[in-house]
Amino acid sequence: PAFSEESEWRLISYFIKQGDDECDFRTTPDRIIPYRVFDIPPKETGPISEVILGPKNITPVDVIELFLKKCGFPGVKVTRSEATYR
């Protein structure tokens, strides 16, 4: 119930194992992760109205706000979740 506030959306995209699929890659300390870039065109009201940072997210709120603004989503409300994992 604590996470119902998130109203989370996720895009799922399947990769073709033969390797002929278009994707980019990012690395973490222990793996390589394929991903796709999806353009989300800004609308008059914007597709993103609020971002709630999870309990373990360490990114400062102002950094998220600047990132959203740079990506074409100014004025998005960014808050920290009141939920905990315990």
Side-chain angles (χ1 to χ4, degrees), residues 8-69:
E8 182 177 290
W9 282 72
R10 292 185 184 211
L11 297 175
I12 299 174
S13 176
Y14 296 99
F15 291 98
I16 298 171
K17 293 187 180 195
Q18 290 82 6
D20 58 354
D21 203 11
E22 292 291 323
C23 67
D24 289 317
F25 295 91
R26 68 181 178 89
T27 61
T28 66
D30 63 347
R31 70 190 69 182
I32 297 173
I33 302 168
Y35 70 94
R36 287 195 176 127
V37 175
F38 290 92
D39 290 327
I40 302 175
K43 294 184 179 180
E44 185 176 315
T45 58
I48 302 171
S49 60
E50 181 180 15
V51 172
I52 301 172
L53 303 176
K56 289 190 175 185
N57 188 300
I58 62 170
T59 308
V61 168
D62 61 327
V63 171
I64 300 293
E65 290 170 340
L66 287 171
F67 171 76
L68 289 166
K69 183 178 179 180

